Amino acid sequence: GNVSGLTDRGDVRYALRNYGASLEDYRAALAHEPENRTALRGQARALVLLGRASEVPQGLMDLTNFAVPYDHRAKFSFSGMDLRGAIFRNAYIHAPSFAGANLSGVVFSGASLTGADFSGANLNGARFESMRSLSSAKFEGATLDAASFRNTFLQGIQFGRTDLRNVVFADTKLDNINLQDVRLLAVDW
């Protein structure tokens, strides 16, 4: 039908890196079918690549398997955003900034976020399990109550002045980690 045609065309335009046109198609599909998962996911991806991540409706940030095109040089900033419950499962984003964001309950499992900045973010209950890469990430001043880094290799991570209560590090390898002034309580090693 009409919605399927719009999402298909949006997908083609997205693949051709015409993000503005793909966004128009996804929004047109959503006007007919507001809960269409393909259109919602496509809209979120297009907005992020257009540098307009703050326009993604609350609770609809699903960037599962999202990969930034190699030649796309934009700096991805989610700083200060309310992204509670967002999904970044298996996403590939180099050096994104999540500084000061509310990332409570966010799923990052399987993602590659080398050089990510989570300084001052609320990461309570966030999942960083089986990460492909989280090397050189910064968590200074972040809150990670009940977050999980299960089965992840953590290298060059800055946890300075971070609250690590109830954090799960089971089956995690640590290398060159800064734990200066970190609050550790009921951590699962």
Side-chain angles (χ1 to χ4, degrees):
N2 190 26
V3 171
S4 178
L6 287 167
T7 57
D8 287 349
R9 187 172 71 185
D11 291 345
V12 168
R13 288 178 165 174
Y14 181 90
L16 294 172
R17 299 185 181 162
N18 189 344
Y19 306 120
S22 69
L23 178 59
E24 290 174 17
D25 289 335
Y26 295 131
R27 285 187 166 165
L30 290 168
H32 294 288
E33 193 178 312
E35 301 298 317
N36 184 286
R37 296 300 304 161
T38 300
L40 289 169
R41 184 174 289 147
Q43 173 185 251
R45 292 167 187 244
L47 284 168
V48 167
L49 286 170
L50 289 167
R52 296 164 46 192
S54 63
E55 294 179 36
V56 177
Q58 173 65 42
L60 298 178
M61 182 70 77
D62 183 350
L63 296 178
T64 300
N65 298 319
F66 175 75
V68 177
Y70 177 76
D71 61 349
H72 195 87
R73 302 279 184 224
K75 184 81 169 161
F76 291 95
S77 178
F78 302 91
S79 295
M81 292 180 60
D82 185 350
L83 296 171
R84 284 174 289 176
I87 302 169
F88 289 86
R89 183 179 290 116
N90 299 323
Y92 283 83
I93 308 172
H94 182 74
S97 177
F98 295 95
N102 184 348
L103 302 164
S104 181
V106 171
V107 176
F108 292 104
S109 298
S112 177
L113 302 172
T114 301
D117 183 1
F118 295 99
S119 300
N122 173 354
L123 290 153
N124 293 338
R127 299 283 172 248
F128 294 93
E129 298 168 347
S130 302
M131 297 288 291
R132 284 187 175 79
S133 176
L134 194 61
S135 63
S136 303
K138 298 174 189 147
F139 290 89
E140 282 105 348
T143 304
L144 289 121
D145 189 15
S148 176
F149 292 90
R150 183 181 303 277
N151 196 35
T152 294
F153 178 51
L154 300 177
Q155 181 179 30
I157 305 295
Q158 301 297 316
F159 280 118
R161 300 178 321 279
T162 303
D163 187 347
L164 296 176
R165 286 179 292 163
N166 305 303
V167 173
V168 176
F169 287 109
D171 302 316
T172 297
K173 294 178 184 170
L174 306 174
D175 180 38
N176 193 26
I177 305 299
N178 174 9
L179 294 172
Q180 184 175 345
D181 298 322
V182 170
R183 181 177 176 184
L184 297 170
L185 182 64
V187 172
D188 179 0
W189 297 100

